[in-house]
Amino acid sequence: MSSVRLRRPRFFSKLEWWYHLLMMPVLFPLGNYYFIGLRYFRDPVTFAVGTALVCGLYWLSIVVLTLAVKQVIRWFPDVRQALPRTLVMLAVVGGLTVVLAIFDVWTYSLIPVTGVRFTWAAVQPIWILGFIFDVFLCIALSVFYTYAQWKTYQTENEQLKRTALQHQFDTLKGQLSPHFLFNSLNSLSSLIGDDPARAEQFVDDLSKVYRYLLQAGNHQWISLQAELRFITIYAGLLQTRYGSSLRIEQQVARAYLERSLPPLSLQTLIDNAIKHNVMLTNKPLLITISTTTDGELRVQNNRQQKTIRVETSQSGLANLLAKYRLIGNESVRIEQTDTDFTVTLPLLTGPLPTTIS
């Protein structure tokens, strides 16, 4: 059995390491020059002690400031919050710099070889140097973070695009059912000889159905009113084929017509009912589409289970459930008794989606 090693997030990123390594040769001499003066460069002992001291204090300050910066990033994580993130970062880091500068001067004053005495005059130069460093540090960290977030968002967007395209392709394959087309053509051929006027209307309705099917993949949500218009036409085609063995009724309150649901939701549920149930003239399959007082859409059919097991595809009811799971807290309820099968869909409120023509 192979084991998987999880990589822990690094405290410093690669870019941050390079930034600090490049800043050390600049800040160390400047800092010790402010503290000690020219004696730092002339006396080897003072140089060694001063370098070790500034190195320790530098990395202590960096760790403290980095922890503060990471906290500010948690407060403003979005890539679009770059300006408030940077300003708050400067304020927090600036306040810490005041405290760290006092600590640095006090630490230097404890080492006799440095010759530094703790005075406010000695603190002021390190404040100036610290504030200059803070500006560069905050801007650099903000840029690094924004760039990293941008790369992450780009990668996620590409993955979402590929997933969406694959889903549209799979959905399209399921929508353009050859069985539905062949059955419709058989129904049409029988109408041509018996009732030419009805055959002409059948062709017109069939074209509207397929236009809706092809356009539905371009929309995530559609109004209930538009979906019901499509289902009325679709039900008419099914009625032509199955006759009195199939009944589809609508009992939808007008108050909910402008709410939204995924396109082809009703077609999916109607096809699912037809696929799994027996339809006979003396035992018709009744499918009722209605709304509840809670603003939900209920699709119910009487159960007349087929004895032969029917294989279900991923483009049917499973895909409809997946669509609702993507929006988070909305859920689809499925209830089954000995006599009925009911699916209840949430109807979404908000801006009206683009209507399919």
Side-chain angles (χ1 to χ4, degrees):
M1 182 181 296
S2 61
S3 60
V4 179
R5 299 180 62 184
L6 299 177
R7 293 183 60 188
R8 295 182 179 179
R10 293 175 296 181
F11 189 75
F12 293 118
S13 67
K14 187 176 180 180
L15 289 173
E16 288 172 331
W17 275 114
W18 276 110
Y19 174 81
H20 294 311
L21 291 174
L22 292 174
M23 291 299 291
M24 285 166 58
V26 177
L27 293 177
F28 285 12
L30 286 175
N32 277 319
Y33 175 75
Y34 276 114
F35 280 125
I36 303 172
L38 291 177
R39 188 163 55 88
Y40 169 72
F41 300 100
R42 295 171 180 171
D43 182 19
V45 175
T46 304
F47 180 85
V49 173
T51 301
L53 192 57
V54 75
C55 182
L57 292 172
Y58 176 84
W59 283 106
L60 173 64
S61 301
I62 290 301
V63 170
V64 172
L65 294 176
T66 301
L67 288 172
V69 165
K70 289 181 181 293
Q71 181 59 51
V72 173
I73 287 175
R74 282 193 288 269
W75 291 338
F76 302 94
D78 195 276
V79 69
R80 293 167 295 185
Q81 297 176 308
L83 181 59
R85 181 172 58 245
T86 303
L87 293 177
V88 173
M89 196 182 295
L90 281 169
V92 172
V93 170
L96 286 173
T97 297
V98 172
V99 177
L100 289 171
I102 296 172
F103 176 78
D104 290 348
V105 177
W106 176 75
T107 303
Y108 266 83
S109 68
L110 297 179
I111 310 298
V113 73
T114 63
V116 176
R117 295 177 58 192
F118 183 83
T119 62
W120 291 112
V123 173
Q124 290 176 0
I126 197 64
W127 277 349
I128 296 172
L129 184 64
F131 286 135
I132 294 173
F133 171 77
D134 290 346
V135 171
F136 285 105
L137 174 67
C138 292
I139 292 176
L141 290 177
S142 186
V143 169
F144 295 158
Y145 177 78
T146 303
Y147 176 71
Q149 288 295 97
W150 177 81
K151 284 186 65 177
T152 301
Y153 288 157
Q154 288 292 104
T155 303
E156 291 177 351
N157 285 337
E158 289 300 319
Q159 291 175 345
L160 288 174
K161 286 179 182 178
R162 287 196 295 268
T163 302
L165 288 174
Q166 183 64 44
H167 176 72
Q168 288 181 7
F169 177 69
D170 293 339
T171 302
L172 185 60
K173 288 194 299 183
Q175 291 164 359
L176 299 179
S177 169
H179 299 290
F180 173 72
L181 178 59
F182 293 151
N183 291 336
S184 298
L185 292 177
N186 287 333
S187 300
L188 178 61
S189 64
S190 62
L191 285 175
I192 290 176
D194 298 336
D195 192 344
R198 192 178 174 192
E200 183 177 350
Q201 182 62 45
F202 186 92
V203 171
D204 184 53
D205 289 344
L206 186 62
S207 67
K208 292 178 181 177
V209 165
Y210 268 89
R211 185 186 305 119
Y212 189 94
L213 291 173
L214 290 170
Q215 293 179 357
N218 298 324
H219 302 274
Q220 186 177 10
W221 306 102
I222 195 68
S223 70
L224 176 59
Q225 186 174 29
E227 183 79 353
L228 289 174
R229 281 201 300 264
F230 161 71
I231 283 301
T232 300
I233 300 172
Y234 185 69
L237 297 179
L238 294 176
Q239 205 74 53
T240 300
R241 171 169 171 75
Y242 296 110
S244 59
S245 62
L246 173 66
R247 290 167 52 196
I248 300 177
E249 298 179 355
Q250 296 185 21
Q251 301 170 5
V252 177
R254 295 180 60 86
Y256 303 119
L257 291 178
E258 297 304 314
R259 296 196 179 185
S260 309
L261 74 168
L264 305 176
S265 297
L266 293 178
Q267 184 219 9
T268 297
L269 298 178
I270 290 173
D271 288 349
N272 186 70
I274 293 173
K275 182 185 297 182
H276 291 89
N277 292 279
V278 174
M279 293 184 293
L280 301 172
T281 304
N282 60 341
K283 293 180 61 178
L285 175 65
L286 173 61
I287 302 175
T288 304
I289 303 170
S290 61
T291 48
T292 69
T293 55
D294 296 328
E296 297 175 312
L297 187 68
R298 177 179 294 159
V299 180
Q300 184 177 67
N301 65 271
N302 55 322
R303 290 191 67 201
Q304 301 177 155
Q305 199 75 18
K306 290 181 178 179
T307 56
I308 301 176
R309 185 173 180 269
V310 179
E311 295 293 333
T312 58
S313 66
Q314 290 299 316
S315 59
L317 185 57
N319 268 357
L320 179 59
L321 297 176
K323 287 179 183 178
Y324 272 94
R325 279 196 296 269
L326 288 175
I327 61 175
N329 59 352
E330 302 289 354
S331 60
V332 178
R333 296 199 308 277
I334 300 177
E335 303 167 88
Q336 181 173 293
T337 66
D338 293 337
T339 58
D340 297 298
F341 183 83
T342 306
V343 179
T344 305
L345 304 177
L347 292 173
L348 307 180
T349 58
L352 181 66
T354 304
T355 302
I356 300 176
S357 59

